[in-house]
Amino acid sequence: MLFHVSVDAEDPKRVAGVIAELWDGVALPFPPVIEGCWVAMAGDDRRTTVEVYPRGTELVEAEGDADGYGVIGVRNPRSATHLAVATNLGIEQVLAIAAREGWPVKYRKRGGIFGVLELWAEGTRMIEVLTPEMQAEYHAGLTVENWQGFLKAVGVVA
């Protein structure tokens, strides 16, 4: 079970705000790791959270009995990090948010199994947004057994 994940952004407050809006949650400052960090909190029973760090933040292990901390490193414009998030909003509402922010968005069907709205935060970080209908497809189709069957069908040994 995933409790939280972190991503980076040029404007952490803005990106956290949009994620919080998709969840009907809240965005708040999150200064423990590095200045300028924001957090989107869903307010759900799992306490689902996304920490949004300034672009280029690298987490570093601290010496001794201290918490890891953040430092600014390379500011790569792209990353493999992405999120798939549930929303209670409909497709048109998500499209309106993307239009308001000036962020690319499009509907995609992943492997013929489930749909997502590919929302590109700041044009560089992918957030797969799943409406209630898309969530039902995801839950029905993306199972361990189905994935193992897919791997077998394409000749990949797990």
Side-chain angles (χ1 to χ4, degrees), residues 8 16 36 45 59-60 78 91 104:
D8 65 348
D45 59 346
L59 297 181
V60 177
R78 301 252 179 221
I91 291 173

Side-chain angles (χ1 to χ4, degrees), residues 148 150-158:
Q148 289 170 330
F150 164 75
L151 292 173
K152 184 177 180 181
V154 297
V156 174
V157 178

Side-chain angles (χ1 to χ4, degrees), residues 16-35:
V18 169
I19 293 169
E21 183 178 357
L22 292 168
W23 287 340
D24 194 27
V26 298
L28 299 165
F30 190 71
V33 178
I34 193 167
E35 186 178 337

